[in-house]
Each structure stands twice: as C-alpha cells, then as structure tokens.
Amino acid sequence: MFFDGQYINIMNRKHFIKIIAGTTGMITLAGLNQFTNGLYEEDHLMPLFFIGHGSPMNGIEYNAFSQEWKKKAESMPIPKAIICISAHWLTRGTFITAMDHPKTIHDFGGFPDELYKVEYNAPGDLELAKETSTLIKKTKVNLDHDWGLDHGTWTVVRHMYPQANIPVLQLSIDYYQPAQYHYELAKELSALRKKGILIIGSGNMVHNLGMLSFEKGFINEYGYDWAIEMNQIFKQKILQQDHKALIQYESLNAASKLAIPSPDHYLPLIYTLGLQNKKDKISFFNDVALAGSITMTSVQFSEVI
C-alpha cells in the first residue's frame, strides 16, 4: 500500500480510515493526523449525537438501544477522538479529562456484579484536552487528572467502539450555570467537528427518577401522558431549530418541571444544540419511553453532503 495523494483521492475515504485503524491498532489524535493530513476535509463535519443513555445496564445488555448505538458508529467515519458531555460529571467550573488512561467509573449502586467488573480501557489524549481548553474563551477550562469515564460515557461508547482504541475525553458540566451559558460554551467547540472529533451529549430528555413506574419496568415501552407529550414537544422544537425555546425549557409546557426536575440529564442536549450546524440533517432514534418517566430518545445531527 502507498499513501501518495493520487491514490488516496481515488480510494473510498471511509474505507481508508478503517484500514488505518486496523494497521495501527491504537488511534491517537497526533498519529492519525499524520496519516489523514488532507484526507478528512476541513469543510466536512463529523456527525454529532445526543444519546439517551438510560439505565447503566444498557452498558452490558445487547438490546435495541445498545445495538442502535453500534449501528450508528458503523455508519460513519471512525473518529480521531471522542469528547462526551455526560449528565454524571457535574462540577463547579468547567473541567476536561487530561490523563493518558482514564479510569472506568462505576458511579451507581444496586446493580449486578457483572456491571461493576466492566473496564473500558480507552486511552485519553492530553493534546486534545489542551486544544479544547484553548478553544473555550467563555471560561477557564481546567485539566482534570482524577475523574475518568463515568457510566454516561462508557456504557454508550463501549458498544460503539468495543475495541477501546479511540481516545475518549469527558467535558464536565458546570452545574451552577444556566442553560444559555452551556449553549454559548458549546458553540466555541464547533471547530472540533471539522477535525474528525465525535462529540456526544449523554443524558435523557425526560428524566424523573422520583416518578419511575417499577411495575412497568425498563423492558416494555411505557410513558406517562405528560412524558410522551414533553418528548414530542422537545422533538418538534429540535426539528424547528427553535433553540431559544429549548434553552428556556421551563416555559415550554406545564409538564416541563415533571420532565426535568433537575437539569443534569437535559443539559447534554443543550451542548449538542450549541454545536449544531444549520445545515445538519436531524434524525431521531431509540425514540421510546420507559418506566413512565424516562425517554431514551436520541438525536443525530449529520452534515448533508
């Protein structure tokens, strides 16, 4: 195989990146840049996802949700790295993981032992962490060496990239800031989509643990009327690109406070809205309600080429 410009131009771009992934075994931001200099065109954007991650059990179950995450990964170019904004890393101030080997965090209780044994050993990427911190001007972004990958990240990403050979970073959510703040901060990260970085917001649009119907459970689809109504409103506003209404979610409907009693699982959606390009095609998947008061509804934003 040779890598001159003429040969690369006539190759299938997606196939070429898969070949590189197979030959290197471990993809790093700096290393893949050497192979793909000029290959991933600056005017092409990586897809962007908001993913409803639901129960931690989805991390080990091969169900309809996890299989859809896997299919999404298989349908797009292999990213150089992944940045995830998880509902489960809430901080005062903004942080990004900056270690070589982020640990797998089991931030939950009362689940089977099998779940606690999972180790998702994806590498980190200090170079990308530093670049991301410099892109954000709205606030100081602190490099974190203690956190790792919580279940909002690894339960999803291990199905998408089971070989754990792509660098994964987390960006924290400053819980003391309003939705508008997070929306504006996310906009400053838009350049990363042009550099082959996959950005994922991981939470749930409707998320009220206090009103779960354990009788209905997490196997069969079931949503309270207010949960289904709010989910439909969220989808409609996303399709209309009415970001202002989604930022001011408390004014959307009388049921807003039921759907979002606290903003932790909703704010990752705000990040994806801030990163959205106006020309992105919007599509929904895993669009179901579970246990009455949680929706798994997920969104893909993809550039139409």
Side-chain angles (χ1 to χ4, degrees):
M1 178 179 289
F2 57 101
F3 296 126
D4 67 32
Q6 182 180 3
Y7 185 64
I8 291 175
N9 285 337
I10 63 174
M11 288 185 68
N12 178 280
R13 293 171 179 270
K14 183 176 178 181
H15 179 60
F16 175 77
I17 294 176
K18 286 185 176 179
I19 290 174
I20 294 301
T23 57
T24 60
M26 182 73 73
I27 299 177
T28 65
L29 185 64
L32 192 55
N33 269 331
Q34 294 175 7
F35 286 105
T36 61
N37 183 26
L39 176 63
Y40 197 92
E41 298 178 6
E42 288 293 318
D43 59 344
H44 288 176
L45 302 178
M46 275 296 287
L48 168 70
F49 290 97
F50 170 77
I51 292 182
H53 64 248
S55 168
M57 289 299 295
N58 291 324
I60 58 174
E61 292 178 349
Y62 294 92
N63 54 31
F65 306 125
S66 62
Q67 289 304 289
E68 191 64 28
W69 300 337
K70 181 175 183 289
K71 289 178 184 177
K72 292 299 181 184
E74 292 172 345
S75 69
M76 65 184 190
I78 296 174
K80 295 177 183 177
I82 300 165
I83 295 178
C84 186
I85 299 96
S86 166
H88 297 281
W89 193 17
L90 307 176
T91 56
R92 183 182 292 275
T94 302
F95 296 79
I96 189 166
T97 53
M99 65 285 288
D100 291 332
H101 302 286
K103 63 186 177 183
T104 304
I105 302 174
H106 303 91
D107 50 331
F108 40 72
F111 289 91
D113 290 342
E114 181 184 2
L115 193 59
Y116 298 92
K117 294 177 181 178
V118 173
E119 295 292 332
Y120 186 70
N121 297 315
D125 194 317
L126 179 58
E127 178 186 350
L128 177 57
K130 290 178 177 178
E131 180 179 356
T132 302
S133 69
T134 60
L135 281 175
I136 297 175
K137 308 298 183 185
K138 189 171 185 62
T139 187
K140 178 184 178 182
V141 178
N142 302 283
L143 300 181
D144 177 85
H145 305 283
D146 299 318
W147 189 249
L149 307 180
D150 60 51
H151 82 269
T153 296
W154 66 259
T155 59
V156 174
V157 177
R158 76 182 298 258
H159 287 291
M160 298 178 76
Y161 303 102
Q163 293 184 350
N165 61 346
I166 298 174
V168 183
L169 291 75
Q170 280 197 212
L171 181 69
S172 77
I173 296 173
D174 187 340
Y175 197 65
Y176 298 88
Q177 298 293 343
Q180 181 68 41
Y181 176 93
H182 296 288
Y183 180 78
E184 293 170 359
L185 189 153
K187 283 186 172 296
E188 297 182 336
L189 298 174
S190 59
L192 294 176
R193 290 186 66 192
K194 294 183 179 180
K195 297 186 177 184
I197 308 301
L198 173 62
I199 303 178
I200 299 173
S202 178
N204 293 95
M205 289 190 201
V206 175
H207 184 269
N208 190 326
L209 294 182
M211 297 187 70
L212 287 178
S213 172
F214 291 100
E215 179 183 353
K216 295 293 183 180
F218 289 86
I219 298 177
N220 299 315
E221 298 177 17
Y222 173 73
Y224 300 127
D225 289 344
W226 57 263
I228 294 172
E229 179 184 11
M230 284 305 307
N231 199 57
Q232 287 300 118
I233 292 173
F234 290 146
K235 291 194 297 178
Q236 180 185 42
K237 296 299 182 183
I238 291 169
L239 288 173
Q240 294 171 347
Q241 298 189 39
D242 189 352
H243 294 179
K244 182 177 180 180
L246 289 161
I247 290 168
Q248 300 174 355
Y249 61 90
E250 293 168 316
S251 303
L252 273 175
N253 186 280
S256 294
K257 291 184 179 180
L258 290 175
I260 311 172
S262 62
D264 46 359
H265 278 70
Y266 183 78
L267 287 175
L269 172 65
I270 297 299
Y271 275 84
T272 59
L273 297 178
L275 283 156
Q276 180 188 354
N277 184 291
K278 288 186 178 298
K279 295 183 179 179
D280 279 334
K281 176 183 177 183
I282 301 170
S283 57
F284 299 101
F285 60 99
N286 289 348
D287 186 17
V288 299
L290 297 176
S293 59
I294 289 180
T295 58
M296 295 294 292
T297 304
S298 303
V299 194
Q300 178 174 350
F301 303 90
S302 297
E303 180 184 25
V304 178
I305 302 175

